[in-house]
Amino acid sequence: MFTTLLKSPIPFSSSFNSTQNPSKTQKGNHSFNKNSKFSVSKTHRNGPIKMPTPPWMKGPLLLQPDEVLNASKPTTKRSSNNNSKAPENALFGKESGVRGKKVMKKIIRDVEKLQGNGVLDDNQIGKFEEFEIGNWLEEIGSDGEVKKFDRKMPWVREEEKVVFRRMKKEKVLTQAEIILDNDLLERLRKKAMRMRKWVKVMKAGVTQAVVDEIRLVWRNNELVMLKFGVPLCRNMDRASEIVEMKTGGLVVWCKKDVLVVYRGQNHWLTSNGRRVFNNLVSDNNTTMSQEKSNASTWGRSLNGEDRDENNQPVVGSLYERETDRLLDGLGPRFIDWWMRKPLPVDADLLPEVVPGFRPPARLSPPKTRPKLTDEELTNLRKLAHPLPFHFALGRNRNLQGLANAILKLWEKSLIAKIAIKWGAQNTDNEQMANELKDLTGGVLLLRNKFLIIFYRGKDFLPQGVANSVMEREMALRRCQLIEEDARVKVAETFQVANEPLAKTSTVGTLAEFQDIQTKYGVLEKENNELEIQIEAQKENLERELRNQERKLAILNGKIEKSATKLAKLNSSWQTAEPDLDLETITEEERECLRKIGLKLSSCLLLGRRGVFNGVIEGVHQHWKHREVVKVITMQRAFLRVIYTAKMLVAESGGILVSVEKLKEGHAIIIYRGKNYRRPSKLMTDHLLTKREALQRSIELQRIGSLKFFAYQRRQAILDLKLKLAKLEEQGVASPQG
């Protein structure tokens, strides 16, 4: 871009004319010279040459003879040395291909390369220090004006930005890479890639049955392949640790959810079935393993790993160490843990019954309610989400040991997080949560088939605080007893025997009661216990009676509303008048038509909508191909079936052959007649449509149900009135008795 601005007066000319062939234009293409507006001048060989220009250029293009390309010369490939740019083109050359950050980096490298080559002398360097590209770069507008812009170029930075690169994760050497020789490890990995048989590890993890199967395979083969299911397939590093710890083998190859375990060079079984490693390893292997371990330790020290007071590297991250410190003393760890470390406490190994265990004493702070609000519950759930699991549980009952451990944990932490073991049989998280809630008195934050989260509660008291509160209460009670004894002794000292005290008040004494009786008469007689019970029952019956009457009034309103809708639908249709001049058939014909109708496979089903205009259309469609139509209805009452048959005959104009009882329902067989003529309009106007027939059926069903429930309410009201009358008679008879 910069080259074309400085070298040529018209920026697009060089790029356009570089594609032209002047020799062909002058010698061979005479027609082009005649037709074109501008032609190449042959007379002035030393002067500028007029070149053909595109139509969007306003003036002729004049080039020197040395600037015109000669296409007759063969083009040769550039050598590798020609690819390097000239020093002056490194700064001002045009960058092609991409834009943005990539181009800026390339320009910066070219500038550094220019400075490194030392092309510029001291005077030129002084000049270039004073000059900025953004101050002199000019832009030629469409109107011919030259405009300057003083923007700074992207590589001119005011201040350096501090970039923190992401630290690469340090590759930790596996036990197989530390112990085994490289040649042996490579051979085992190649062999592992060709294995096609594996041992399946289910949800329960690496159980004793899986370990026994692995050892059985090791008797005939040095490698065994393990294929893991959930949840261990989600954390194959942890799966490798568990397999190496339980079997004593070495994991030599891992891919996705598959591990290949090597039994070891010196492999034999003890009487307990556990493999023992040979401590006498060859000197070569020992030296190599020591070098690898020293290299890994030196790498960790360079990365700033934490060390203890003895300058030994600390195992595990700060997160793991703090969690281990929190769980120390609560119980044994769950070694089959399928997630990342730290390992939770195995709740199944804790005692089922703890002697003398009692739920903790609870006391809310002043002006504080123990119940959690919705906002507090949400915040506690968010707080519990990133916390590690403290316990792993697989049984439903006898959780006193776990409850005791949770109480100890609550002295250091607000939340106890319990994971439910995968593969444990008949686990019920609801039963677990209810028993733990009864034993600990905590607040259940979350419960599902994977985890249970408990909050210790606002009224939780640690053991030390609870003991202090109990001691304080006991001391307060002792002080109250001492004060009461002192008051009694003082009262006995000032009391005079057999002599009433002078000017003694009569408030609350028998004398005051007798005075009130003589002054105000006999007090009203108190009701006995039987009268109170009768009044209570009477009040309950009256309340129930009012409730039943209210429900009956609601039902009556619904019945009236439904009856109004039904009357409106019934008024929109009417049955056709029966034809008095009916065609008659003999008994033989009737019997023959009945047999034909019963054998028909095609029939017309009559549903809950009853007879509507679509049914009559279907009857005529059947009569188009056959003389008899079979209509099957699901109505149970025979009188309703007869009414439906008569209505079909009246609407269609056919002859009723018979009504038969079938397994599906009742079959109505209708003969079209000898003088049958197909009507021009199959659907009648005086019957209901399909939608209106469905609404009528629904309203009939609704009004029937409402009347049934209204009848039940009336019976209940009558029973309540009878019971109330009996109670009133019993109440009237009791005072007389």
Side-chain angles (χ1 to χ4, degrees), residues 185-287:
L185 185 61
E186 188 68 23
R187 181 183 67 81
L188 293 174
R189 286 178 175 174
K190 289 181 180 180
K191 185 178 179 181
M193 294 177 186
R194 296 191 296 269
M195 295 182 68
R196 293 298 179 266
K197 294 183 180 180
W198 59 78
V199 177
K200 184 67 176 178
V201 181
M202 306 302 290
K203 288 183 181 180
V206 187
T207 58
Q208 187 61 36
V210 176
V211 175
D212 295 340
E213 192 172 356
I214 291 172
R215 290 175 182 148
L216 184 63
V217 176
W218 273 347
R219 292 181 181 179
N220 302 323
N221 196 351
E222 60 181 354
L223 295 178
V224 59
M225 179 179 285
L226 303 178
K227 189 176 181 64
F228 290 86
V230 289
L232 274 176
C233 65
R234 301 171 183 170
N235 190 355
M236 295 303 293
D237 294 338
R238 181 61 193 155
S240 303
E241 294 178 6
I242 295 174
V243 170
E244 290 180 349
M245 178 178 57
K246 287 196 171 185
T247 62
L250 297 174
V251 177
V252 296
W253 188 70
C254 175
K255 184 177 181 181
K256 294 184 179 179
D257 58 345
V258 175
L259 290 180
V260 177
V261 188
Y262 175 53
R263 67 183 180 183
Q265 295 176 347
N266 299 320
H267 167 73
W268 67 86
L269 299 176
T270 62
S271 59
N272 296 329
R274 303 265 316 180
R275 190 170 72 83
V276 180
F277 284 103
N278 186 13
N279 294 328
L280 301 176
V281 187
S282 61
D283 297 338
N284 187 18
N285 294 341
T286 305
T287 306

Side-chain angles (χ1 to χ4, degrees), residues 203-204 348 393-395 420-428 432:
K203 288 183 181 180
D348 294 341
L393 181 60
R395 66 175 184 230
I420 299 176
K421 293 182 179 179
W422 285 68
Q425 299 295 325
N426 301 324
T427 55
D428 188 359
M432 296 176 184

Side-chain angles (χ1 to χ4, degrees), residues 404-423:
N404 191 21
I406 289 175
L407 294 178
K408 292 180 181 178
L409 176 66
W410 276 346
E411 295 182 359
K412 304 175 184 178
S413 175
L414 297 175
I415 294 172
K417 200 170 179 181
I418 305 167
I420 299 176
K421 293 182 179 179
W422 285 68

Side-chain angles (χ1 to χ4, degrees), residues 259-424:
L259 290 180
V260 177
V261 188
Y262 175 53
R263 67 183 180 183
Q265 295 176 347
N266 299 320
H267 167 73
W268 67 86
L269 299 176
T270 62
S271 59
N272 296 329
R274 303 265 316 180
R275 190 170 72 83
V276 180
F277 284 103
N278 186 13
N279 294 328
L280 301 176
V281 187
S282 61
D283 297 338
N284 187 18
N285 294 341
T286 305
T287 306
M288 185 176 298
S289 63
Q290 289 178 356
E291 289 177 357
K292 290 182 179 179
S293 60
N294 293 336
S296 60
T297 306
W298 178 74
R300 288 195 300 266
S301 63
L302 287 179
N303 291 333
E305 190 180 68
D306 296 336
R307 294 178 175 271
D308 56 7
E309 297 177 354
N310 299 328
N311 200 21
Q312 296 295 330
V314 179
V315 180
S317 61
L318 179 62
Y319 174 79
E320 296 178 8
R321 297 198 301 270
E322 288 297 321
T323 308
D324 290 335
R325 183 180 60 82
L326 187 67
L327 299 180
D328 285 342
L330 297 182
R333 300 300 180 89
F334 181 52
I335 59 174
D336 290 329
W337 181 237
W338 55 87
M339 297 176 69
R340 61 178 184 177
K341 291 184 179 181
L343 304 180
V345 176
D346 193 350
D348 294 341
L349 300 180
L350 297 175
E352 296 182 356
V353 179
V354 178
F357 176 80
R358 291 185 304 172
R362 292 184 172 271
L363 182 63
S364 298
K367 300 180 181 180
T368 304
R369 293 183 179 181
K371 186 177 180 180
L372 293 176
T373 61
D374 293 342
E375 186 177 359
E376 292 174 342
L377 186 63
T378 304
N379 292 334
L380 287 172
R381 285 175 179 170
K382 291 180 180 179
L383 179 64
H385 179 71
L387 292 180
F389 285 94
H390 304 116
F391 303 95
L393 181 60
R395 66 175 184 230
N396 299 331
R397 302 176 59 189
N398 301 326
L399 305 177
Q400 286 191 3
L402 176 59
N404 191 21
I406 289 175
L407 294 178
K408 292 180 181 178
L409 176 66
W410 276 346
E411 295 182 359
K412 304 175 184 178
S413 175
L414 297 175
I415 294 172
K417 200 170 179 181
I418 305 167
I420 299 176
K421 293 182 179 179
W422 285 68

Side-chain angles (χ1 to χ4, degrees), residues 592-637:
C592 181
L593 293 172
R594 187 184 71 85
K595 290 181 180 180
I596 293 173
L598 291 176
K599 290 181 180 180
L600 287 175
S601 60
S602 60
C603 61
L604 185 63
L605 292 176
L606 200 63
R608 63 177 298 176
R609 293 178 176 85
V611 180
F612 59 96
N613 55 7
V615 176
I616 305 302
E617 181 186 5
V619 170
H620 287 291
Q621 291 292 349
H622 276 266
W623 281 344
K624 180 179 180 181
H625 304 284
R626 56 189 67 86
E627 295 180 345
V628 180
V629 61
K630 182 171 66 174
V631 181
I632 295 179
T633 177
M634 303 298 177
Q635 294 172 343
R636 297 181 181 179

